Structures are given as structure tokens and as C-alpha cells.
Amino acid sequence: MSAPKYFWYEQKELKDPIAVIGFPSIGLVGSIATSFLARELKLQVVGGITYPDIQQYTILQNGNAYPPIRIYAGPIPRMRKKSKSAEGEVKEESAQETVEEKPKKRVKSRDIIIVTSEVAPKPEFTYDLALDIMEQVKEMGANDIIFLDGIASNEPAVQIMGAYSNDAAKAKLEDAGVRLMEEGIIRGMSGVGLYQSRYDGTNTICLISPANPQLPDPRAAAEILNPLKQLIPRLNVDPTPLYHEAEDLDNRVRVQQNQQNMINQNLYG
């Protein structure tokens, strides 16, 4: 693989960041979830990546052109709690300004790095690109890496699974109540990240959501955010827009199927 070309737009001092990496796979789970996270957290694009062997295109965001692979980074916004004024007006308050009935355990604040793309590398380039991206996020300060991925399934019930690189990563999955994947095959960027991390000692987790193998699956991407919120301190995102997107997609597919059935009936009925 030709050497990747990096574009750096801003240098940020990050506080003990966690890196979340999502590339296209089954159901586009990783791409959908990471793009949604970056948008909901209002993170800035701090860098971009391309290389000659990848499909070339640009992503426009707020009029700015970025390469196929983007790196977002920044603090996780503090959770805000809604309250009502005497006049019934809904106001938002910082979590620090509200009085809790029961004191909660303080959670260490950490920043986040998100690496996302809509295009997967060719199989022969996956190894080099995965290692290069992992080295970059570690240089940015990340000692914990989470890959988001999908696995083919047509079952309606979704149960997220987690794979790990070492005992520390395994313990985090257990604390989050994620079912451990002890046997199986994990392909692509996530697979490379796991076995490389076992070798070099990086704390790496792969969250895997069963997904539709035929279509983009925003519902599976929404489901994977629930355990992710348990793994990343103070991460508080509402996946409702992804569920709405999934319903819209289901409706469009249903309409197309009905139209096809009517055509078949007219032809063969």
C-alpha cells in the first residue's frame, strides 16, 4: 500500500482520550454509528486521511471539503438536565448546577477521538491502514481503542457482543454487561486491531452488532451505542434519530416490495 497522506487542520491537547474507529462492514454499522457520534457530539474535524489506492471522493461538511477518512476529536460535552421554570418554560441546566438527591460516584472526564469513513480499504491494504491509524490515535494520546462493527444476522432480536485484546479490555466489557465473543472470526480493520493489540498490549475492544447483510442498518448502529455509553465515561447520546431513520428505511423497502408484488401479480396472476 502506498503511504497514507494525512491532512491536519487543528492540533488539540486531549485529556486521556478514548479512540472509536468505525469503517464500513456488515450493515455499515461502524460508519453509521461513528458519523452519528461525531455529529451529535459536535466534534471538529482535526485531521483527514487518504492514499492513492482508496476510492477518491470528498465529504463536504459546512462547506468544507474533507478526504474519505476523517479524524474528529475533542471533549465529550457535559450532560445537561432539563428543568421547568415556574412559568412552565423548559430550561437546560448544567449537570453541575443541579442538586442530586443522592451523591453519585465521580467519573473521570476523558476526551474522545473518532475515526470514520464511508469506504472500506481493499483487503490487501487493510493490515497496513489499520496499523497506521492505530499508531496515529496512540500518538494523539489514546491508550484505549474501540472498534465498532457488524455481523450478518436476520434475527429481529439484537444482542451486542464484545471481543477484547487483553484482560483489562475484557473486564471493561464485563462491567458494561456486554456478552463476550469467545469463538468466531472478526474480519477487516477490527480484526487486525484486535490481534495487533494483543501483541503490543493496547487495550482494544470490538463491539459487534448483528445487522442486516443486505442494506445499511441504522437500527443496529443505534443498538451498538447503548453498550458504548457504558464503556465511555459521560458519553450521553440519544440514538432516537437512528431508530427513526431505520423506520423510514423499513417503510421504503416495504413500499418497494408491495410494488414488486403487484407487478408480479399483473404478469403472472
Side-chain angles (χ1 to χ4, degrees), residues 1 4 6 49 126-137:
M1 184 184 83
Y6 280 82
I49 313 170
T126 298
Y127 177 79
D128 288 339
L129 182 62
L131 263 58
D132 197 80
I133 288 176
M134 290 177 69
E135 285 304 312
Q136 288 296 326
V137 298

Side-chain angles (χ1 to χ4, degrees), residues 10 41 77 79 180 201 224 238-240:
E10 184 176 351
L41 297 177
M79 182 174 61
L180 300 180
I224 212 170
D238 182 4
T240 299

Side-chain angles (χ1 to χ4, degrees), residues 17 27 60 64 72 88 102 110 151 158 202 205 220 233 249 258-259:
L60 294 174
N64 297 313
Y72 298 80
K102 294 182 180 179
R110 301 181 67 176
I151 187 170
V158 175
T202 305
I205 284 170
L249 181 61
N258 290 338
Q259 291 174 343

Side-chain angles (χ1 to χ4, degrees), residues 217-235:
D217 196 337
R219 182 175 290 105
E223 292 289 343
I224 212 170
L225 295 179
N226 293 319
L228 188 66
K229 290 192 287 186
Q230 302 299 317
L231 292 168
I232 300 181
R234 297 185 180 180
L235 180 64

Side-chain angles (χ1 to χ4, degrees), residues 1-6 49-54 69 120-133 189:
M1 184 184 83
S2 304
K5 167 68 176 178
Y6 280 82
I49 313 170
T50 191
Y51 58 96
D53 305 301
I54 201 172
I69 305 170
K122 296 177 181 178
E124 60 267 32
F125 303 137
T126 298
Y127 177 79
D128 288 339
L129 182 62
L131 263 58
D132 197 80
I133 288 176
M189 302 280 288

Side-chain angles (χ1 to χ4, degrees), residues 4-252:
K5 167 68 176 178
Y6 280 82
F7 302 81
W8 295 108
Y9 308 108
E10 184 176 351
Q11 296 294 329
K12 278 185 174 289
E13 291 292 330
L14 300 173
K15 185 193 303 181
D16 191 19
I18 298 175
V20 181
I21 301 175
F23 275 71
S25 61
I26 301 296
L28 301 182
V29 171
S31 294
I32 295 172
T34 47
S35 294
F36 178 79
L37 273 176
R39 185 168 63 250
E40 291 296 302
L41 297 177
K42 296 179 173 57
L43 297 176
Q44 294 180 328
V45 180
V46 298
I49 313 170
T50 191
Y51 58 96
D53 305 301
I54 201 172
Q55 180 181 350
Q56 295 300 314
Y57 62 89
T58 188
I59 287 287
L60 294 174
Q61 294 182 359
N62 298 319
N64 297 313
Y66 297 113
I69 305 170
R70 281 94 58 210
I71 304 173
Y72 298 80
I76 296 173
R78 289 187 177 276
M79 182 174 61
R80 303 185 70 84
K81 185 176 180 180
K82 291 183 178 180
S83 63
K84 284 189 176 181
S85 65
E87 294 78 16
E89 181 184 356
V90 177
K91 296 182 177 181
E92 287 190 346
E93 301 175 355
S94 170
Q96 287 185 327
E97 297 171 355
T98 60
V99 178
E100 301 287 346
E101 293 181 359
K102 294 182 180 179
K104 293 184 178 181
K105 182 180 178 181
R106 291 182 61 85
V107 178
K108 181 183 176 183
S109 176
R110 301 181 67 176
D111 291 344
I112 189 169
I113 301 167
I114 294 177
V115 183
T116 187
S117 179
E118 292 74 31
V119 60
K122 296 177 181 178
E124 60 267 32
F125 303 137
T126 298
Y127 177 79
D128 288 339
L129 182 62
L131 263 58
D132 197 80
I133 288 176
M134 290 177 69
E135 285 304 312
Q136 288 296 326
V137 298
K138 285 193 280 188
E139 287 183 12
M140 295 172 72
N143 293 312
D144 297 291
I145 299 174
I146 302 174
F147 286 88
L148 303 183
D149 216 326
I151 187 170
S153 174
N154 291 312
E155 297 295 327
V158 175
Q159 184 174 19
I160 307 301
M161 297 178 289
Y164 51 88
S165 64
N166 55 30
D167 289 341
K170 179 181 180 180
K172 290 180 180 180
L173 286 171
E174 290 174 332
D175 290 343
V178 178
R179 175 189 171 193
L180 300 180
M181 184 177 180
E182 301 287 4
E183 304 287 342
I185 295 176
I186 300 174
R187 304 180 187 277
M189 302 280 288
S190 304
V192 173
L194 283 169
Y195 71 67
Q196 178 66 27
S197 296
R198 183 177 184 272
Y199 176 76
D200 63 26
T202 305
N203 298 327
T204 296
I205 284 170
C206 180
L207 290 178
I208 308 158
S209 178
N212 188 329
Q214 305 298 328
L215 295 169
D217 196 337
R219 182 175 290 105
E223 292 289 343
I224 212 170
L225 295 179
N226 293 319
L228 188 66
K229 290 192 287 186
Q230 302 299 317
L231 292 168
I232 300 181
R234 297 185 180 180
L235 180 64
N236 184 47
V237 291
D238 182 4
T240 299
L242 289 178
Y243 286 115
H244 289 162
E245 187 177 329
E247 292 173 3
D248 291 341
L249 181 61
D250 290 343
N251 291 334
R252 290 198 298 271

